[in-house]
Amino acid sequence: MLLQAFIVCASLALAFAAPFHNYTRCANQYNSTQLQALEAQYTQDLAAAEASGSLQRITTPSTLSGGSSLVCRPIQVAWHIIYESETVQGGYMSDKAVQDSIDALNGHYRGTEFRFLLDRTTRTKNKTWFNDVDGDSPLQDDMKKQLHVGDARTLNVYTVNFPTAKSLGYAPYPQFYAQAPWNDGVVIKHSSVPGGAAVGFNQGKTLTHEVGHWLGLLHVFNEDGKCVDWDFVSDTPVQSTWTEGCPTSKDSCDGLPGEDSIHNFMDYSMDVCLTEFTPGQIARMHAQSDLYRKISRGFCPWDWPFLG
Ligand SMILES: *[C@@H]1O[C@H](CO)[C@@H](O)[C@H](O)[C@H]1NC(C)=O
Ligand SMILES: *[C@@H]1O[C@H](CO)[C@@H](O)[C@H](O)[C@H]1NC(C)=O
Ligand SMILES: *[C@@H]1O[C@H](CO)[C@@H](O)[C@H](O)[C@H]1NC(C)=O
Ligand SMILES: [Ca+2]
Ligand SMILES: [Ca+2]
Ligand SMILES: [Zn+2]
């Protein structure tokens, strides 16, 4: 049952040749039937919330004199470092490395109203968790049950090494919060953070991608290899394959309008290639967070990151 509460982004690397790199961003284990059921639930939950008026957003005016008129949705981050030794290779992260990750995340979400603010950092020396936690392992349940903090508005991030060398991360959908609050956090490979050892995948964009799932986004490509929309977002063109490396252009469904979203954070291209969310994806993240996470929406205090 709990397995259903994940988008498990395990390695699919064996299924294809990877000429450009050694990593696979993540893989959604849901099939299209399951995703359509989830989408039906989302549509139904949204309609019910709108009908009952419970979707009304909490808007708080800034109490700071320097507050701007820009709107922010603050997300408190609890960053959990799992390590096996007090070295970068052993998974240890300095306060600066954590803040660099938060800064990168804010930069990547610049086009949205979300602002990520580090609330706390925890450090746990646990060789078993560091090396063996994976999306479908009971160890990840142990880890999260012990470390998860906050509520649906809190982003819990766990950095581990993963047993599969090529896997970079996995994340839950917002809909699953009610079912298992302790499970509501994204898990990423420690070396995918900015400046980490995962060459080609070390600008922090794995976290950006997983947080996209955490805020309700699906992959831009069809995971069954079909030219059929997969992500329920109308401004990402239909795409039948994920992208590797960073091609100059790609059109996997050339009979359908639009080229592949090779620069979209929800594709699998290398970090250097990923630069954008579309307006449709941003609207979906805002709507899903209103519905399932109740993230407050108010004016941005002057000292919050990446205004303007
Ligand atoms: C989708 O996955 C569910 C759960 O694993 C399974 O019961 C169902 O048969 C699958 N459907 C398709 C079309 O593969
Ligand atoms: C380390 O992980 C094991 C396996 O889940 C668990 O039993 C143990 O309590 C953990 N130790 C710490 C210090 O968290
Ligand atoms: C990819 O893996 C090979 C073999 O494990 C290794 O020698 C190489 O350094 C890796 N390349 C990168 C970019 O990490
Ligand atoms: Ca689409
Ligand atoms: Ca096309
Ligand atoms: Zn993914």
Side-chain angles (χ1 to χ4, degrees):
M1 272 322 246
L2 287 177
L3 284 185
Q4 293 187 330
F6 290 96
I7 294 170
V8 176
C9 301
S11 174
L12 278 186
L14 293 178
F16 70 105
F20 297 104
H21 60 79
N22 288 353
Y23 301 103
T24 297
R25 182 80 57 188
C26 90
N28 184 340
Q29 285 192 337
Y30 285 95
N31 59 40
S32 67
T33 312
Q34 291 170 302
L35 285 177
Q36 275 167 27
L38 282 171
E39 193 66 9
Q41 184 198 330
Y42 168 50
T43 309
Q44 201 177 352
D45 290 347
L46 192 61
E50 273 166 356
S52 71
S54 67
L55 203 59
Q56 233 172 351
R57 292 164 181 167
I58 315 134
T59 302
T60 51
S62 170
T63 53
L64 298 173
S65 55
S68 86
S69 58
L70 288 170
V71 169
C72 278
R73 298 168 187 249
I75 295 177
Q76 301 292 333
V77 181
W79 192 289
H80 305 290
I81 298 161
I82 314 299
Y83 65 100
E84 65 175 1
S85 69
E86 284 82 357
T87 62
V88 172
Q89 203 175 9
Y92 198 82
M93 285 180 75
S94 65
D95 288 346
K96 180 181 182 300
V98 174
Q99 191 56 53
D100 286 350
S101 281
I102 304 288
D103 291 348
L105 191 61
N106 277 308
H108 304 155
Y109 278 82
R110 194 188 305 249
T112 75
E113 290 176 359
F114 299 110
R115 294 295 181 277
F116 301 90
L117 303 159
L118 183 63
D119 177 65
R120 72 185 78 185
T121 304
T122 71
R123 291 181 170 84
T124 307
K125 189 169 188 171
N126 194 318
K127 195 173 177 165
T128 308
W129 286 352
F130 180 66
N131 289 300
D132 297 338
V133 156
D134 209 346
D136 52 7
S137 129
L139 287 172
Q140 88 97 39
D141 299 5
D142 289 350
M143 177 184 79
K144 287 180 169 175
K145 281 177 178 164
Q146 194 160 316
L147 296 176
H148 178 270
V149 293
D151 56 25
R153 298 169 298 179
T154 315
L155 172 63
N156 281 257
V157 176
Y158 303 84
T159 55
V160 301
N161 195 36
F162 292 130
T164 310
K166 293 174 179 175
S167 187
L168 290 178
Y170 63 92
Y173 276 135
Q175 279 104 312
F176 301 133
Y177 180 81
Q179 191 182 326
W182 56 267
N183 197 30
D184 185 56
V186 312
V187 186
I188 58 167
K189 191 173 179 77
H190 70 101
S191 54
S192 73
V193 301
V199 175
F201 293 81
N202 60 358
Q203 296 181 3
K205 291 175 183 173
T206 295
L207 180 59
T208 301
H209 176 108
E210 302 308 338
V211 170
H213 288 314
W214 187 81
L215 290 167
L217 297 186
L218 305 178
H219 293 145
V220 289
F221 53 87
N222 183 303
E223 294 183 35
D224 292 337
K226 296 178 179 161
C227 283
V228 174
D229 181 67
W230 186 266
D231 66 356
F232 308 101
V233 171
S234 58
D235 62 3
T236 54
V238 174
Q239 175 175 336
S240 65
T241 58
W242 64 77
T243 306
E244 288 175 50
C246 192
T248 47
S249 71
K250 176 167 163 270
D251 194 359
S252 56
C253 296
D254 56 8
L256 292 171
E259 297 203 335
D260 292 3
S261 304
I262 56 178
H263 299 300
N264 195 285
F265 288 119
M266 301 316 287
D267 200 342
Y268 280 2
S269 324
M270 293 171 73
D271 275 15
V272 70
C273 206
L274 300 183
T275 55
E276 63 194 23
F277 290 116
T278 65
Q281 287 176 314
I282 293 171
R284 183 178 169 95
M285 289 193 275
H286 288 164
Q288 290 243 346
S289 69
D290 283 343
L291 186 59
Y292 294 116
R293 300 203 175 279
K294 309 284 182 212
I295 292 166
S296 67
R297 186 169 183 272
F299 294 114
C300 312
W302 64 273
D303 59 344
W304 281 11
F306 292 98
L307 297 181

